[in-house]
Amino acid sequence: MINWAQELPAIKPKYLAIIQLIKSLIQNNQLLPGQRLPAERSLARWFNVDRSTVSRAFDELSAGSTL
């Protein structure tokens, strides 16, 4: 089980840190194909960011961002 309440990497802006964290989880086989992500509101609360920050990270990831 993933500990989503962990601290984000020290990257700014925060949406890039969320992207890096999710990509890292995928690369380390902690986040598997078909596995659901928590709701944006939950992640925003756990990461102490606005929901729009999580939404932007999701948008970038789904657009195939290579950041």
Side-chain angles (χ1 to χ4, degrees):
M1 181 171 201
I2 299 169
N3 176 16
W4 288 104
Q6 63 188 305
E7 285 192 33
L8 291 175
I11 298 172
K12 291 193 178 185
K14 289 296 184 185
Y15 81 93
L16 292 177
I18 294 169
I19 290 171
Q20 181 178 335
L21 174 63
I22 292 173
K23 285 184 174 185
S24 174
L25 291 169
I26 292 168
Q27 291 170 346
N28 293 325
N29 293 319
Q30 292 177 282
L31 187 58
L32 303 173
Q35 188 173 352
R36 293 189 63 136
L37 294 170
E40 289 178 359
R41 290 177 198 259
S42 296
L43 285 176
R45 187 173 44 253
W46 291 331
F47 295 148
N48 196 30
V49 298
D50 289 336
R51 188 181 63 81
S52 62
T53 302
V54 176
S55 180
R56 179 160 184 198
F58 283 2
D59 289 346
E60 295 282 337
L61 284 166
S62 65
S65 173
T66 58
L67 298 174

